[in-house]
Amino acid sequence: MSRFWSPVVHELTPYVPGEQPKLAKLVKLNTNENPYPPSPHVLAAIKAELGDDADRLKLYPDPTGSQLKAAVARHFGIAPEWVFVGNSSDEVLAHTFQALLKHERPLLFPDITYSFYPVYCGLYGIDFEAVPLADDFSIRVDDYLARGADGVGAVIFPNPNAPTGRLLPLAEIARLAAALPDAPIVIDEAYVDFGGLDVIPTAVSLVKQFPNILVTQTLSKSRSLAGLRVGFAIGQPELVEALTRVKDSFNSYPLDRLALVGASAAMDDAAHFESTRRQVIASREALSAELGALGFEVLPSAANFVFARHPGHDAAGLAAALRERSIIVRHFKAARIDQFLRITVGTDAQCVQLVEALQEILG
C-alpha cells in the first residue's frame, strides 16, 4: 500500500497469469500455448519487414492495422470495417469492457470462467453478477434470460468456456442475443478453433444477423503466436467504432510492425492452421481417453486443454507431484473447481510423458 496510489489501485485484485517457470527439460502444460510452431510464413514476413538494416523500425506502425484487418476479413468472408485488432485479445477485451459493457444494469458472466472478467469490472467500475454454471459445468442460457431484459446490461462468456472447455451451441447463443436485443453479447472465442474438425463453431456466423453480438479471438492459441500478442474482434461497424474510439483514447499504435505482418501471414496460411489444429484435436481426444482409463473424470472439451479430476487424489497434490517430475499443469483454488486440473494438450510425446508420470503417481 502507498499513499501515492490512486483510490482504484487500493481496491484492485489483479489477474494472476499462468506461471512461466524456467526449469530444465520442462513439460509445460499450464498456459494453453500451442505445442507446434507458427506458420513458416510468419518468420518470412517478419524478416521481410525488417529488411537488411531494420530501418523501418524507426517509423511508427499503421495505427489502423489495415493489413491485418484485411487478412482477418478474408479469412471470415466479411468486410474489414467489421474487424477491430489489438495487442492480444486481453487488450481487445479490456477495450470492450470499457466501450460496451458498462451500463446501469449489471454485466452477467459465469461463476466459473476467465478470471480476468471480474478484474476488468473492478478496474472500470462495472457492476456484475456471476451466473452459476449447471452441475455439469455447462452454461444455461435460461439462467441469463431469467433476469429479464430489464435486468441485464450485457453478457460475456468464453466459448468454449475457460477453464472448463465446454462449448455452448450456436443456436443457444442466437437465442440469447434474440431475447436480449438491447444488451451487448460478447463471445470470447480464444479456443473456438479446436471446437470441431469440419465446422469451427464460431459465432462470427451470427454477427450479420445480430447487431448486439461481438466476437473476440486471439492468435495465441490456434496460430501459435502467444509471443506476438495479437487479438481481434468482429462485429457490426457501430460496435467496432466504439472499440476504436476507446483505443484511440488509450494507445493509437497498439500493434507493432512485426506483429502486424506476422499475424497477417498467419491468418493467410490456411493449410498450416488447419493441420496444426487438427493435430491438437486428435491429441486431445487421445489424452482424454488415457486420463479416463486412469480413473479421471474428464469434462467434454472443445479447447486445446482438458479439465479433469480424480476421485481418489487431491488435485493440488497431483499438481505438486507432477511438478517434481518437471511437468507443469494449472490448478485453480476457486470454489467448485479446486479438485480439477487444467491440462494443456501438448505434443503426443509430451502427453505420453504426462500419462506415464500420472501412472507412477497414482501407483
Side-chain angles (χ1 to χ4, degrees), residues 108-115 118 128-134 137-140 144 156 161-164 334-337:
L108 306 185
F109 52 75
D111 64 333
I112 299 170
T113 194
Y114 187 26
S115 54
F128 72 91
E129 291 182 14
V131 180
L133 296 177
F137 297 101
S138 62
I139 292 173
R140 296 176 297 205
Y144 292 78
I156 185 172
N161 195 15
T164 66
R336 298 185 68 188
I337 60 171

Side-chain angles (χ1 to χ4, degrees), residues 49-362:
E49 181 67 17
L50 285 172
D52 294 332
D53 56 6
D55 192 54
R56 292 184 182 179
L57 293 185
K58 70 183 181 184
L59 304 175
Y60 282 109
D62 173 11
T64 68
S66 58
Q67 178 184 1
L68 178 55
K69 286 183 180 180
V72 172
R74 282 194 297 273
H75 179 79
F76 289 101
I78 57 176
E81 292 75 21
W82 291 54
V83 180
F84 176 85
V85 296
N87 188 298
S88 78
S89 62
D90 284 336
E91 183 187 76
V92 173
L93 286 168
H95 293 337
T96 299
F97 270 72
Q98 197 167 26
L100 299 174
L101 303 185
K102 185 174 184 177
H103 300 279
E104 292 183 1
R105 293 165 292 182
L107 167 66
L108 306 185
F109 52 75
D111 64 333
I112 299 170
T113 194
Y114 187 26
S115 54
F116 226 138
Y117 295 167
V119 174
Y120 289 139
C121 288
L123 181 62
Y124 297 125
I126 299 173
D127 292 330
F128 72 91
E129 291 182 14
V131 180
L133 296 177
D135 290 341
D136 64 358
F137 297 101
S138 62
I139 292 173
R140 296 176 297 205
V141 165
D142 286 339
D143 291 344
Y144 292 78
L145 300 183
R147 269 70 176 171
D150 292 336
V152 181
V155 178
I156 185 172
F157 55 84
N159 200 41
N161 195 15
T164 66
R166 300 214 57 166
L167 185 74
L168 184 68
L170 290 182
E172 287 295 277
I173 296 174
R175 187 162 73 92
L176 179 68
L180 300 173
D182 297 322
I185 309 295
V186 179
I187 313 300
D188 178 356
E189 293 187 342
Y191 303 101
V192 75
D193 292 320
F194 305 104
L197 279 176
D198 299 319
V199 179
I200 297 173
T202 174
V204 170
S205 61
L206 301 176
V207 296
K208 291 183 179 179
Q209 180 182 356
F210 296 101
N212 56 333
I213 289 182
L214 183 82
V215 177
T216 66
Q217 290 195 15
T218 175
L219 277 72
S220 294
K221 317 300 183 184
S222 58
R223 290 177 176 81
S224 308
L225 289 179
L228 277 193
R229 315 305 297 129
V230 179
F232 59 87
I234 293 176
Q236 294 198 14
E238 65 176 326
L239 300 185
V240 171
E241 181 184 355
L243 299 183
T244 303
R245 289 171 66 88
V246 170
K247 185 266 290 186
D248 287 341
S249 302
F250 175 74
N251 179 9
S252 295
Y253 302 95
L255 286 166
D256 64 57
R257 304 180 72 90
L258 307 186
L260 285 170
V261 297
S264 299
M267 290 301 303
D268 282 335
D269 192 346
H272 185 86
F273 163 73
E274 190 64 30
S275 173
T276 54
R277 79 176 193 89
R278 284 177 176 269
Q279 284 180 274
V280 171
I281 291 172
S283 298
R284 179 191 69 210
E285 298 308 300
L287 177 60
S288 296
E290 293 275 10
L291 292 174
L294 290 176
F296 282 87
E297 174 194 352
V298 185
L299 296 189
S301 176
N304 69 335
F305 59 83
V306 296
F307 205 49
R309 63 182 169 188
H310 197 287
H313 293 267
D314 176 66
L318 287 175
L322 287 170
R323 187 184 182 90
E324 291 175 358
R325 293 159 174 81
S326 295
I327 301 172
I328 309 297
V329 298
R330 191 81 187 264
H331 174 245
F332 298 91
K333 297 180 181 179
R336 298 185 68 188
I337 60 171
D338 61 343
Q339 287 305 307
F340 279 87
L341 297 177
R342 193 195 69 188
I343 305 170
T344 303
V345 177
T347 63
D348 287 341
Q350 290 175 325
C351 291
V352 167
Q353 286 182 262
L354 169 70
V355 170
E356 289 178 347
L358 287 171
Q359 289 172 335
E360 180 182 316
I361 294 165
L362 296 175

Side-chain angles (χ1 to χ4, degrees), residues 18-24 26-28 30-31 323 327-328:
E19 184 185 8
Q20 299 289 341
K22 296 180 180 178
L23 301 175
L26 178 68
V27 178
K28 189 173 183 296
N30 68 322
T31 50
R323 187 184 182 90
I327 301 172
I328 309 297

